[in-house]
Amino acid sequence: MSRARVLVLNSALGPLDYRVPHGMQVEPGSIVVAPLGPRQLMGVIWEPERMPSDAEVGDNRLRNLLAVANAPPLRPALRRLVEWTADYYLAPPAAVVRMALSSTSALEGSRLVTEYRATGNVPDRMTAQREQALERIGDRQGMIRELAAIADVSDGVIRGLVKVGAIEGVEVDIDSPYPVPDPDHAPPSLSDDQRAAADSLVADVATHAFRPTLLDGVTGSGKTEVYFEAVAEALRQGRQVLVLLPEIALTEPFLKRFHDRFGCEPVAWHSGLRSTQRRRAWRAIASGEARVTVGARSALFLPYADLGLIVVDEAHETSFKQEDGVHYHARDVAVMRGKFEGCPVILASATPAIETRQQVVLGNYAEVKLPGRFGPAQMPAIEALDLLEHKPDRGRWIAPPLVKALEETLERGEQSLLFLNRRGYAPLTLCRTCGHRFQCPNCTAWMVEHRLTRRLACHHCGHIEPIPRACPECSEEDSLVACGPGVERIADEAAALFPEARVAVVTSDTIWSPAKAAEFVGRMEAGAIDIVVGTQLVTKGYHFPNLTLVGVVDADLGLEGGDLRAAERTFQQIRQVSGRAGRGEKPGRVFIQTHSPGAQVMQALVTGDSDAFYEAETESRRDAGAPPFGRYAAIIVSSEDQGLAQDVARTIGRSAPEVEGMHVYGPAPAPLAMLRGRHRFRLLVHARRALDVQDVIRGWLGALDWSAKVRVAVDVDPYSFL
Ligand code: ADP
Ligand code: ZN
């Protein structure tokens, strides 16, 4: 090959052609360095027929490629996935391929670094911090900063331990090998139901064929244990496995469970990795040496050498949908990756999405069910508390029957969880004297009071301000009042009700790293917490046998937005959080506080009749032609200049093509009319299922032009309508 088409990592550019200099060996998928003007860019060689170029350059004007990366070429399966994702989500291929090359340092050669580990020597002078550090580090090895993070101490403490010989440095190849998980390390003895489910998944792995399966089992039924059997089978076959989790906070407990089952940790991939860890993981994944990778959605685009199984755990979670950059849904892309790789895909969930259930109905996905909880554990009894009948005391949010249940649970020495999906102390702060409300200067949103940090914060753009003593509008002092509850306020209420109880707040403000999550799990398991007050972060994954009471503080909250998935999401979220109760031998109780106990979703939660609920929801989606029976795509126009954004949105609206089976709504100001200082307008495209709506939108927007001050984003299969 003397001429090569290269997808350079610049989303504004299409593919470019280069000359391959004499002696350079490249093939489609090769990762190369290409010149662009005075700069050098990373890129990937692509089949020219699959990536048309709109600027053909004559042979004599081609520039030479500069280098080939010291890494294997991207395999065809991954290249097809990049093409599919770019096509389906209307994203520049370069933006998708960037997710595959997410560690630039991995593309350089090998390197040596110093890592540290405990020597077993006990320091002469032991301090509480040193003791904590040595205990938490155990037999782990890593850079000073990594060990400090694991131990939750400063770098200085680790350095001190090095000085006194309790920790030593070792030279390692930066890409030192990972331990290999052993499929036969500690297999569980499965129940008959679990065995049947596991056998069917194992058989799929053995056939090496694409096959998506919904693993549908109530919380605590042992879905993880069951899909671990399929993981074990893939390991026996010598192939790689990818497990996707919705939240990085969940990785830590997962790593521990994996370690118990397979004798070592899998390779973790998430945004919290430092660049050396990222590099080592990337290279091991590309070489095939990393056998099992667990990660957040970005792990989906990594260059696995030989993928034998993909698992999407908690597959119904909406956090699998990426809301900026490339707007992809990791659950759906995972299925496509399985298709291109030719391997099974397991979607595990206790509350599968309607979209996924429909695929089962259509026969596109298989279904494996786990009907009951494992062992003696029973599903908890759920009771709705009508807030009109059971009014909380003035200025309080916990209704008397729930207070009583908390008291009983405390007396028995068991743990409780209060769930409210709202961070901070209060969602709105206003001045009692003049009525002034604190609004974010950059967004159409109220500032949320955080007492733990004594600040007002915008949850959309991150803008923060100190809480002033005087009202900025009328200057009255001490006149500000908090309206409504957030988790911090509920925690205060619990502490006031039960001064002797140990209360913990669990939100992304308090659990921002895997180490923090591990610490929380440790405290729960040690019985050092009586009442947890948490957001959706505590609704999934955790298994605390002594947690027997769950109170949902405001079950109506999720219904407020009213988008097409509001009832489904409320159902899933409350079922999930209910699933935290009574996972051990002690039975669990759940109270859901609501103003509309008669609402269909509340009834379904109380009776536990999820089939009836899903049927009704599915029918109403069918009537509305909503997903999965029809399709949506949102077009979001934004600019710092409101007039400009509005003009472009109107032009787009006016140019909408007349297409049979497609309807365009808007433009209208977005519910979040301003976000991060940008004014936003939305159009919503509604189309019948069979229509290639991407193609229509490509042609429609492709014919238009707008100022560089305006951004037009397309969100195919949107989950957020804000
Ligand atoms: P799910 O993912 O369905 O909520 P898990 O896989 O987390 O359920 O299982 C719930 C609990 O039951 C876990 O502590 C798990 O270790 C335990 N468990 C499930 N199946 C078995 C089994 N066959 N043997 C031993 N423990 C099991
Ligand atoms: Zn803001």
Side-chain angles (χ1 to χ4, degrees):
M1 191 202 280
S2 64
R3 187 184 173 106
R5 182 141 305 165
V6 180
L7 193 51
V8 289
L9 291 194
N10 180 332
S11 309
L13 297 175
L16 301 173
D17 287 351
Y18 288 90
R19 180 184 301 115
V20 182
H22 257 304
M24 186 186 275
Q25 292 297 323
V26 293
E27 59 186 291
S30 292
I31 303 164
V32 295
V33 182
L36 189 77
R39 294 183 306 142
Q40 302 188 356
L41 279 184
M42 207 60 98
V44 177
I45 300 206
W46 224 268
E47 297 92 327
E49 64 279 11
R50 290 184 160 272
M51 198 61 73
S53 158
D54 33 41
E56 286 284 346
V57 176
D59 278 351
N60 53 346
R61 290 180 44 224
L62 289 180
R63 297 181 70 182
N64 274 343
L65 286 176
L66 300 172
V68 189
N70 178 12
L74 301 187
R75 291 169 47 248
L78 179 53
R79 300 206 298 279
R80 301 299 83 85
L81 186 78
V82 168
E83 289 161 5
W84 181 86
T85 306
D87 209 52
Y88 188 89
Y89 293 105
L90 292 161
V96 183
V97 101
R98 184 186 293 280
M99 299 193 281
L101 303 186
S102 43
S103 167
T104 39
S105 80
L107 305 172
E108 297 154 12
S110 54
R111 258 166 53 200
L112 287 178
V113 288
T114 308
E115 285 190 345
Y116 293 84
R117 65 180 177 206
T119 55
N121 298 339
V122 180
D124 292 338
R125 201 174 61 79
M126 191 56 119
T127 64
Q129 287 215 316
R130 286 181 166 184
E131 202 169 321
Q132 169 178 334
L134 290 173
E135 189 191 309
R136 296 216 182 147
I137 288 167
D139 58 3
R140 300 209 214 193
Q141 179 170 321
M143 321 273 271
I144 294 223
R145 278 177 43 200
E146 288 161 14
L147 294 186
I150 289 168
D152 200 16
V153 297
S154 70
D155 292 8
V157 172
I158 307 289
R159 289 219 171 80
L161 285 167
V162 174
K163 221 172 261 163
V164 300
I167 288 183
E168 65 180 355
V170 275
E171 284 278 294
V172 290
D173 180 341
I174 199 168
D175 306 318
S176 56
Y178 288 98
V180 176
D182 172 7
D184 302 311
H185 177 73
S189 60
L190 299 178
S191 70
D192 291 348
D193 286 336
Q194 290 178 335
R195 176 45 61 202
D199 285 349
S200 136
L201 298 176
V202 165
D204 285 349
V205 173
T207 61
H208 293 214
F210 170 57
R211 188 173 153 90
T213 301
L214 168 61
L215 175 58
D216 182 357
V218 296
T219 50
S221 57
K223 292 187 291 299
T224 317
E225 306 293 340
V226 166
Y227 75 65
F228 273 178
E229 294 309 292
V231 172
E233 177 63 19
L235 285 169
R236 285 188 198 102
Q237 309 243 337
R239 309 185 76 193
Q240 290 175 293
V241 178
L242 163 63
V243 180
L244 287 179
L245 299 179
E247 202 94 50
I248 110 168
L250 290 177
T251 22
E252 199 66 20
F254 181 91
L255 298 182
K256 197 160 157 276
R257 264 183 94 168
F258 189 94
H259 192 291
D260 291 345
R261 169 68 180 81
F262 294 103
C264 68
E265 289 193 354
V267 176
W269 182 273
H270 53 73
S271 56
L273 292 188
R274 295 174 357 87
S275 85
T276 47
Q277 298 172 309
R278 190 169 275 272
R279 170 204 152 89
R280 178 176 172 216
W282 194 97
R283 290 189 72 85
I285 285 166
S287 72
E289 181 229 315
R291 304 296 303 281
V292 179
T293 304
V294 51
R297 57 187 180 225
S298 58
L300 196 47
F301 290 95
L302 294 173
Y304 302 91
D306 181 20
L307 210 44
L309 173 67
I310 301 173
V311 180
V312 185
D313 204 351
E314 312 280 358
H316 60 279
E317 277 294 328
T318 46
S319 55
F320 280 121
K321 178 73 196 302
Q322 167 122 333
E323 294 292 0
D324 49 31
V326 182
H327 289 66
Y328 67 96
H329 198 306
R331 175 198 63 208
D332 298 343
V333 179
V335 172
M336 290 312 292
R337 178 129 205 192
K339 183 173 169 169
F340 292 125
E341 299 280 352
C343 76
V345 182
I346 299 172
L347 308 181
S349 174
T351 52
I354 287 179
E355 282 83 350
T356 307
R357 286 172 175 260
Q358 186 60 16
Q359 294 291 346
V360 173
V361 170
L362 294 175
N364 297 332
Y365 296 1
E367 183 178 35
V368 169
K369 283 198 173 195
L370 287 173
R373 282 196 157 174
F374 174 74
Q378 293 300 310
M379 286 302 280
I382 302 185
E383 205 177 304
L385 283 182
D386 183 346
L387 286 172
L388 289 178
E389 190 183 326
H390 303 283
K391 276 205 170 62
D393 293 343
R394 234 185 102 74
R396 298 247 156 121
W397 281 272
I398 308 176
L402 181 51
V403 174
K404 185 154 163 287
L406 283 166
E407 191 179 334
E408 292 162 1
T409 310
L410 275 170
E411 269 166 16
R412 281 199 301 271
E414 295 167 10
Q415 295 166 314
S416 306
L417 163 63
L418 294 173
F419 169 68
L420 176 65
N421 208 15
R422 227 194 234 142
R423 291 157 52 208
Y425 184 82
L428 170 66
T429 302
L430 58 75
C431 169
R432 186 177 6 225
T433 311
C434 73
H436 172 74
R437 295 164 166 217
F438 286 79
Q439 195 180 350
C440 174
N442 312 317
C443 307
T444 316
W446 306 124
M447 298 291 284
V448 178
E449 180 179 348
H450 286 247
R451 287 226 170 143
L452 292 177
T453 50
R454 293 203 212 92
R455 291 194 293 214
L456 294 169
C458 171
H459 287 177
H460 294 285
C461 72
H463 173 80
I464 47 176
E465 294 173 6
I467 304 172
R469 252 176 69 82
C471 171
E473 195 65 32
C474 70
S475 307
E476 189 70 24
E477 292 208 355
D478 300 320
S479 173
L480 303 182
V481 282
C483 295
V487 280
E488 292 178 7
R489 196 168 200 177
I490 299 299
D492 277 5
E493 185 173 335
L497 286 165
F498 309 106
E500 73 290 3
R502 293 155 302 171
V503 180
V505 173
V506 174
T507 70
S508 54
D509 300 307
T510 59
I511 307 267
W512 66 84
S513 68
K516 286 281 170 196
E519 186 193 324
F520 163 64
V521 171
R523 285 172 60 212
M524 278 300 278
E525 285 173 349
I529 298 172
D530 298 309
I531 302 176
V532 183
V533 185
T535 56
Q536 47 82 29
L537 207 60
V538 292
T539 61
K540 51 211 153 207
Y542 294 116
H543 179 74
F544 302 123
N546 201 36
L547 199 163
T548 56
L549 173 68
V550 167
V552 178
V553 175
D554 184 352
D556 309 332
L557 191 61
L559 295 172
E560 274 166 18
D563 73 59
L564 83 112
R565 294 185 183 86
E568 183 191 14
R569 223 161 20 215
T570 297
F571 182 80
Q572 291 169 330
Q573 205 166 52
I574 296 178
R575 280 281 282 203
Q576 288 287 339
V577 72
S578 305
R580 295 314 114 203
R583 290 170 72 93
E585 289 173 11
K586 302 168 192 158
R589 283 204 291 171
V590 178
F591 290 93
I592 53 182
Q593 303 196 140
T594 171
H595 283 99
S596 37
Q600 192 189 30
V601 38
M602 303 304 161
Q603 289 294 315
L605 285 164
V606 169
T607 60
D609 191 350
S610 54
D611 287 346
F613 173 74
Y614 273 109
E615 251 163 57
E617 274 295 298
T618 306
E619 277 325 295
S620 76
R621 295 261 192 107
R622 193 193 303 272
D623 289 345
F629 303 99
R631 323 182 48 192
Y632 286 118
I635 301 175
I636 302 129
V637 182
S638 68
S639 173
E640 286 175 12
D641 182 328
Q642 182 173 14
L644 224 77
Q646 185 164 23
D647 284 349
V648 172
R650 282 190 181 144
T651 308
I652 291 176
R654 267 197 308 272
S655 335
E658 291 277 339
V659 177
E660 156 83 34
M662 181 182 105
H663 198 87
V664 180
Y665 301 91
L672 254 172
M674 189 156 97
L675 180 63
R676 297 187 194 95
R678 301 177 71 86
H679 298 270
R680 304 165 75 243
F681 292 83
R682 293 181 69 106
L683 296 100
L684 188 65
V685 182
H686 183 197
R688 65 189 157 78
R689 177 108 221 131
L691 185 73
D692 186 346
V693 73
Q694 286 89 344
D695 208 44
V696 174
I697 295 175
R698 227 184 325 264
W700 167 15
L701 298 185
L704 300 173
D705 232 345
W706 46 80
S707 140
K709 292 187 186 134
V710 178
R711 198 182 301 149
V712 177
V714 182
D715 186 2
V716 177
D717 302 340
Y719 276 67
S720 163
F721 294 84
L722 292 179

